[in-house]
Amino acid sequence: MNFRYQNPTLIEFGQGKISEISSLISKTKRVLVVYGGGSIKNNGVYEQVSKALSSFVWFEFGGVEPNPTVETLDKAVVFARENQVDFILAVGGGSVIDGSKYIANAFFYEGNGWDILEGKHTPTKALELGAVLTLAATGSESNTGAVITKKETKEKRFFHSPFSYPKFAIMDPDVLKSLSQRQLANGVIDSFVHTCEQYLTYKHGLLAQDYYAEGILRALVELALSFENRDDLWYANLMWLANQALNGLIGLGVPQDWATHYIGHELSGLYGIDHARTLAIIQPNLLRVLKEQKSEKLLQMGENVFKLENNTVDNVINTIENMYKTLGVDLKISSYTEDKEIKEKVINLLTKHGFTHFGEKETIDSTVVGQILDKSI
């Protein structure tokens, strides 16, 4: 057990919390509100944010995509500079928050912002950032990560920066009630796989991380089972569980996988498939290919999370897959694209991005990726 942990993001959680914005940002700040496709103007969030910022100088930039593109975000960087902004308020889900992290970190960099995603530039300062969460899935509201797409080349890359921690995150679960069933199902799946990436590896003996992860997984299974009977607490639980799955805590000092994400990112970048759906497609088949390597933790999951009477590795994997099916996810890549070169394109992009040996034991190479994709296409 050997790690460093700090999470400086202040979280304001609960109904009616959006009004707190006015006390969380200095009145001297020039604020840029960043949002997505405009749904916040239909569900009352934009109105609440506008009211909270009524005594501020503020600007807005909309149109950040569900898989935020560097092409759109670079326009936002220019807009922020032109208006001498010094605080960014991200109002949206993980994509808007991720995009805002890019804007904040690229703001002071005179070169090509994509350099940050390529690892060619490490930011030494950034704009301050706050978040109003409107979609629960990624935990981006209190972590350092961001995933950005380059539309031109259909690449999806990620970066971490200590400057990407939002100063605060407003989490009002009532906001989730305006989301579609697809978006809510994606949130459950995303949170579930995030937790698995830090849990389904091998035995290591760090009890707090293991059992906390199992608690999150059990709760998410419960939300999946009660998906058609959502009440106030259902939304509140999803919003908090999604945060806890990826705020850094359950990954402290333990082996982590993330192979499902690396493969999923390429599928999402190539074909525009929802991030969570790429995870639901890939994860069960990755587990099947690597079931010997992951057998101990899969059996632990069967016992402690699913409480299976017939606890076998195959039954655990099937139980995970069936949960995704009950949430209405089509688990074949061919349902989303007619491309006949899926395998070749994904493997080539993974190689280009340096993912030649990955997973918790670095046993996943292009051959293993091919086996996983063969089962998934």
Side-chain angles (χ1 to χ4, degrees), residues 58-69:
W58 67 283
F59 310 87
E60 61 181 87
F61 184 93
V64 176
E65 306 92 341
N67 288 307
T69 67

Side-chain angles (χ1 to χ4, degrees), residues 94-217:
S95 294
V96 169
I97 299 171
D98 283 10
S100 297
K101 291 176 179 179
Y102 174 88
I103 299 166
N105 281 274
F107 183 86
F108 293 108
Y109 179 50
E110 294 179 1
N112 184 344
W114 189 251
D115 290 346
I116 298 170
L117 280 299
E118 296 279 9
K120 296 175 182 176
H121 171 70
T122 303
T124 55
K125 62 177 178 176
L127 291 177
E128 287 188 316
L129 173 71
V132 177
L133 188 66
T134 64
L135 192 154
T138 69
S140 189
E141 67 278 0
S142 66
N143 65 34
T144 61
V147 182
I148 310 297
T149 298
K150 192 172 190 177
K151 192 176 180 181
E152 180 190 356
T153 56
K154 295 188 176 180
E155 292 177 84
K156 194 169 184 178
R157 306 299 307 273
F158 62 89
F159 78 98
H160 288 268
S161 164
F163 305 108
S164 289
Y165 277 118
K167 299 294 179 188
F168 63 83
I170 307 280
M171 302 174 68
D172 181 345
D174 273 358
V175 174
L176 302 185
K177 294 175 182 176
S178 64
L179 297 177
S180 68
Q181 291 210 5
R182 183 187 183 107
Q183 289 171 308
L184 291 168
N186 284 352
V188 175
I189 293 165
D190 213 359
S191 308
F192 190 86
V193 180
H194 285 158
T195 308
C196 288
E197 297 278 35
Q198 301 162 87
Y199 170 76
L200 276 179
T201 55
Y202 53 83
K203 293 271 192 177
H204 48 67
L206 275 72
L207 300 182
Q209 282 85 333
D210 247 15
Y211 296 157
Y212 193 12
E214 288 173 359
I216 294 170
L217 292 169

